[in-house]
Amino acid sequence: MCNGDWEHTFGIRISTLDNPGWELLIDLKDTKYENMKQPHILVQKNDDDWFSYKIEEHVFKGYGDPTKLSKLIETFHNLILKSI
């Protein structure tokens, strides 16, 4: 989405959670996906094996345990593929 403006305001953020785990935020504003909807989904096997995601306010928001960063990226990718 780099167009000289978008990337200075929006983008992708990966950060750590204190419980521990990952947070993945991907801006969809001003993209062809900005109107995508995704209710909150929680997949939890136990306290140490979980991830969740939703699209809210034009942002994909994914959270997961320390082993789930690639799963969160894959989940976002799959949501985008389904919308095409």
Side-chain angles (χ1 to χ4, degrees):
M1 263 317 292
C2 296
N3 65 6
D5 292 319
W6 185 90
E7 66 274 13
H8 295 285
T9 304
F10 305 109
I12 298 171
R13 289 173 300 285
I14 299 172
S15 57
T16 56
L17 300 174
D18 63 358
N19 59 341
W22 293 106
E23 174 184 60
L24 173 64
L25 304 176
I26 302 175
D27 288 311
L28 302 174
K29 184 76 172 160
D30 294 334
T31 73
K32 64 182 181 180
Y33 307 108
E34 74 178 328
N35 294 317
M36 282 184 69
K37 305 287 185 210
Q38 174 61 57
H40 181 254
I41 302 290
L42 171 63
V43 178
Q44 184 169 15
K45 294 181 182 175
N46 59 54
D47 288 345
D48 297 321
D49 187 355
W50 64 275
F51 71 98
S52 70
Y53 59 95
K54 61 185 171 183
I55 296 177
E56 179 179 79
E57 299 173 356
H58 312 290
V59 177
F60 172 85
K61 299 177 179 182
Y63 308 93
D65 71 58
T67 68
K68 295 299 187 294
L69 182 57
S70 61
K71 182 64 175 174
L72 294 172
I73 294 167
E74 174 188 359
T75 298
F76 173 74
H77 181 254
N78 290 340
L79 285 173
I80 293 299
L81 287 178
K82 285 196 310 189
S83 75
I84 294 175

